[in-house]
Amino acid sequence: MTALDLSSPVAVVGTGTMGQGIAQVALVAGHSVRLYDAAPGRAREAADAIGARLDRLVEKGRLTGAGRDAARARLEPAGTLAELADCALVVEAVLERLDVKQELFRALEDVVGDDCLLATNTSSLSVTAIGGALRVPGRFVGLHFFNPAPLLPLVEVVSGFATDVASATRAYETARAWGKTPVACADTPGFIVNRVARPFYAEALAVYEDQGADPATIDAVLRESGGFRMGAFELTDLIGQDVNESVTHSVWQAFFQDVRFTPSLAQRRLVESGRLGRKSGQGWYDYRDGAERPEPHTAEPAGPPAYVVVEGDLGPAAEVVALIREAGIEVREEPEDNGTRLVLPSGGQLVLADGQTSVEFRDVVYFDLALDYREATRVALSASQFTSPRTVAQATGLFQALGKKVSVIGDVPGMIVARTVARIIDLAVEAVAKGVATEEDVDTAMRLGVNYPLGPLEWSRRLGGDWACGVLDNLHECAPTGRYAPSLALYRHAYASDKQEGGPS
């Protein structure tokens, strides 16, 4: 099954930002495009707006004048659904309500031919449920574009329970022919991206609710240590707090209120107060004229330790030892069978975040996971009220000597980056195990859909197949609500990795 022929007309129903974006993508690819909106005059307004964007593409040298003129000639507002009768594909981008979408597609079936591919751009509703209202549900598929559709490459091609393989394949190949990067997935709550990405927001909010750190510090650690493009608080402000919370709530409800997807009370209060982010002028941050952006907590300068003792293998943090040597600090190595840590002159220990808390031990400072310790510009440390101030100072001075800014946060298990990455890996591994998508498509979706620095499965391979399981096991012991319990799929993933690496048989 191949992509739609360019001679086949394409229709877009719903002319908001997403509908206009999808129409522009199909138009620039070479199709004739018909725009329909139930509100009188909206389709014409949308056509004019798309024409203006085509003008800007010409100004930027991304489209020729002749190409723009030809595209404009192929763009046609439609006054009624009947004018879409000869379209080979109709993509819907209307209100996110099941009844509204079902009513629309029932009406479309009375107009278009049985060979017309019908697609929904829903991000949170069940493709199966929408298609269930149709006379020919096999030709119904999800085509989930990401905003702005003309710029972002990812398209999730979602097969509902009744979707024919031929229809899904045609949708997939059409998206690819339009210059997009499609990924195939089953109809599961949140599809790939909105399912696997939930911990990125949830864990940042949990650290905040536990008073581990303020939003500016959490965002800085996620960016400067975790390698994420944006922190969770600034990203939800950009998305819109109401939109982000709505998706979280939808996924939670769709998974029968699975505790792993529980929405945040702190975010609920923010939405209730009308602080929706950039669009309202205030969210976690203040975007009004003259407002100052809060700075992340950064520790004052401290002297580096004269030496450190390395006990065991630091695993994902092994690069730290090389950096310490390069900084001119003496490194003494001692083999250790039961631990992986740095021992400071104070006698205190510096340990990579593992899902436990400092208060459980005599004198321990935890340091957070980094995507790349050499490139990271900030490292987070956590300690309890019982940790020796001297140990905290030496740990702070050590990382400052490596050229890092240091943020000392509260004694929260798993810190910020480590708990976030562990949970993302867990949901990704589980999605693959349940047949939602392949490993390659999950990694592609998370890199392109939300700009993650690594795909979750790629991250797991880098950290070690059992790393995420170990962190979550410890987190679950600290907070046995079920939120952090590793999935069965992750346990299997961890044991399979252990076998491949020559572990116990």
Side-chain angles (χ1 to χ4, degrees), residues 421-498:
V421 171
R423 288 208 59 218
I424 288 171
I425 289 172
D426 185 24
L427 293 186
V429 169
E430 183 185 52
V432 172
K434 289 185 177 295
V436 173
T438 65
E439 287 192 11
E440 181 181 1
D441 277 356
V442 169
D443 278 353
T444 297
M446 302 313 292
R447 285 197 309 270
L448 298 184
V450 276
N451 286 313
Y452 283 6
L454 293 174
L457 284 306
E458 183 184 2
W459 223 328
S460 179
R461 288 189 291 272
R462 177 185 286 197
L463 294 168
D466 59 350
W467 177 85
C469 193
V471 170
L472 292 178
D473 262 335
N474 288 333
L475 273 162
H476 179 57
E477 186 173 339
C478 287
T481 62
R483 176 188 179 106
Y484 299 105
S487 65
L488 175 60
L490 189 65
Y491 271 120
R492 287 174 171 160
H493 181 74
Y495 279 110
S497 174
D498 189 50

Side-chain angles (χ1 to χ4, degrees), residues 53-70:
R53 282 199 291 274
L54 294 177
D55 288 340
R56 288 195 289 275
L57 290 178
V58 172
E59 293 169 4
K60 295 176 181 178
R62 297 176 184 171
L63 185 67
T64 65
R68 173 199 57 199
D69 295 342

